Amino acid sequence: MSDKFKFAFRVATSLTLAYMIPMALGWTQPSTAATTVMLIASTGSRRESMAKGTLRVLGTIAGGIIGLLLVGFFAQDRLLYMLAVSLVVVIVFYIRSAYLNDPTLFMLTGVMLLMMYNGGDAEGAFLYGIDRTFMTVFGVVVYTLVGVFLFPPKVEQNLRQLGDNLASAQKALFEAMSFPPQQEIKADQPKPELSEDDTTSSETETDQEQPTLADLSKSLFAAQQAFEARYQTLNSECSEVSAYKKEWDGTIALYGQITELLLFAAKDHSRSGGHPIEYLRDFDKLRTEVIQLFERLPDAWEKQAAHSPQPLDPVEYDGERLKQASHLYRGEAVSSGYLFNQLRERLAKLESCISSIDSLTGTVEFELPPLKAKPNFNWWDAENAKSSIKVFVTYWIAGAFWIQFNPPGGYNFVIFSTLFVSILSFLPFHPVMLLILFTLGFVFSVPAYVFLLPQLTLGAELALFIFAYTFVGFYVLKGPVTIFFLIGLFTLGIDNNMVYHFGITLTIVTLFYMTVLSVVISYYLPFSSRPEHLLLVFRERFFRHATGVIRLLQVDQLSLVQKLQLVWRITTMVVALKKMQVWGAKFNTNPYPSLTAEQLKRYIEQCDLFHHHLMTFIKARKKMDENPLLVEAKKGNKDTVIPALSQALWKVESETIDELNADHLKQDYQDLEARLDEYFSHIELDKYSNSDIAGFYIFLNLKKNIFESLLSCKQVSDDVVWEELSMKRF
């Protein structure tokens, strides 16, 4: 049973119970509980917990209370009521969009606010609101209990697997960057004879190109991101991880530090022309020791006793050789030794920390590094603000249509239009897909309404029908678009007292077709959600804020305003890249003859690599600002190449773009590096610590990685005909 099967089975079971239990007990509005299950399953995460369910219940009750208060204050004045509801709903749905964890908490609050109004009928509004709130809470409870007890995922096993994948990616990058240089075979030296098997294997190795350091860095970035994201999700749900939260936090932090150390040192060529094998004693032994530490990490999960880190011998240098070497060579040797020491120390601590998880014999005996808390909200997303405006406009257009023409479904048309626009705003799908899915659901439900439902006499038969319909929808489809297939189930009007009248079904179908039309209109107005338009917006936004980050990082002492600006730019840059990745993966390139999906994919991958290198540089910035070597070096050597290159990637109409060719850029950057080398050759290394010297080379390496990744972005961007995306088409 795959994860997709388990998820569809859980949702189908929940929705079936949400229908059948209220019907068996004679409760009214069973469809409200079923709708709640559908909304949570379509928009929430796939893992449930009691804590999450409790928060959803509280959100539902809060929304019900606020909704009833608004009804009580403004029930006699419809326009004032609609104005109050529209403003409160806009705020709630904006918070829902900005919330980075499970959004269904605030979604249910907004749903209850909309559902409290009994179509303008003030009489019985209070009891109507109480019934709706109760059935919504019932739907939340059913979905939570089924999700917790039916096919519960193995949380720690999932995290361990991601941790092992990350350790494997780290080991692969370390092996590649520390691999000794190949010994060239002299011309007069006979080549060794190879057997037939050796010949075949060597040909295979030749055909399969070894991954470059850039490729291995990409894999490491992806593995680190997946591990941290998964832990952040589970940690926020108060799951069983919380029993060893201190050890888990330390494990995540140590994994991150090891990744940063590897990325600090990852480079294709040495600046001094040397290799650590030349100036570190017993280099092969050191390299083997680090590889063995990586290989021991998977076994540490299985240990039942806390394992203390073993003492390690210090790294020794070839002192005689270094005395005769240049400043550049000596500095790089000190840097390599420092990084080897740090790697071994972090790996030994990581092994000890992992062994302490689930251990009954003790805890770690050293101070664990703190894990930086992730923010729960992103208040600076432009699309969230646009979505709120869309919700406000849709609510009033649908409300005006309801007041003027009283369409089928009455006030429900306003509720569903506002709700679905808020959920589906700025999602990478074409609105025609909604029409197709709803029509498909209608095609399934109408024959069932005519031929199947009247023949069902047992509750078990009806339960089997609801289960099968829901299971198919969530097994075949995914995400919020599943809602429009499941709507077909709600057009049947299933209840204890069924009144079979085709006119009623057509009325419900008309209501939802009008709702789909509202969503389609909101796709274009008041803000366009066309993929080609959004790709250009996200591309410009990503590099505009990346350029701002680069410029701010060159300021020696940031003011309070500049610090806030830096945080805002970093957050916006990261979000813009994520959206560019989502929309780029769904982008249809067929209407654009000069653009291929492969070109777009390569461009976004290069942007992602540049982003990771820049974020690595940002993480190291605090230590760099305290490094006396770097403070002096940056005073007379300002970098103008990287900011200009980054700016050229978002100022598409700039006249200077053509002047920024690869050869000129590389020459300018080499001139900057030459000035830094000249600066380094005049300092006395004995006055500075190994950490300061290593920091100087880490700085140069990180800057080089940023420059090369930006250059790759420009080269790939030049292959994409961006002008085609800005052309108007029907």
Side-chain angles (χ1 to χ4, degrees), residues 201-258:
S201 62
S202 64
E203 289 175 355
T204 304
E205 290 175 1
T206 304
D207 294 338
Q208 297 179 351
E209 294 184 1
Q210 295 296 322
T212 63
L213 287 182
D215 295 332
L216 293 171
S217 296
K218 286 182 188 177
S219 301
L220 179 53
F221 283 132
Q224 181 72 40
Q225 204 165 15
F227 188 46
E228 290 182 350
R230 182 63 178 161
Y231 178 71
Q232 180 67 18
T233 301
L234 298 175
N235 192 27
S236 64
E237 293 175 357
C238 304
S239 65
E240 55 267 36
V241 170
S242 59
Y244 290 89
K245 189 175 186 306
K246 175 186 175 184
E247 289 76 12
W248 272 110
D249 285 353
T251 298
I252 305 299
L254 285 168
Y255 265 119
Q257 289 182 354
I258 293 168

Side-chain angles (χ1 to χ4, degrees), residues 98-112:
Y99 191 52
L100 299 178
N101 297 320
D102 181 34
T104 53
L105 164 64
F106 296 102
M107 183 195 69
L108 291 173
T109 304
V111 169
M112 294 311 302

Side-chain angles (χ1 to χ4, degrees), residues 71 81 114-126 128-129 411:
V71 170
Y81 172 80
L114 292 169
M115 292 172 64
M116 287 298 101
Y117 196 50
N118 191 15
D121 183 12
E123 294 185 12
F126 183 79
Y128 175 84
Y411 188 70

Side-chain angles (χ1 to χ4, degrees), residues 187-201:
D188 57 349
Q189 182 178 348
K191 295 183 179 180
E193 295 183 3
L194 298 176
S195 64
E196 186 176 347
D197 293 339
D198 292 336
T199 305
T200 305
S201 62

Side-chain angles (χ1 to χ4, degrees), residues 380-391:
W380 310 110
D381 193 334
E383 277 62 47
N384 291 346
K386 292 178 182 177
S387 297
S388 299
I389 296 174
K390 280 188 176 186
V391 167

Side-chain angles (χ1 to χ4, degrees), residues 577-599:
L577 175 65
K578 289 180 180 177
K579 292 185 176 182
M580 189 161 56
Q581 290 171 327
V582 171
W583 286 85
K586 302 287 185 179
F587 189 78
N588 181 18
T589 58
N590 293 333
Y592 307 98
S594 302
L595 180 64
T596 64
E598 186 60 31
Q599 286 178 332

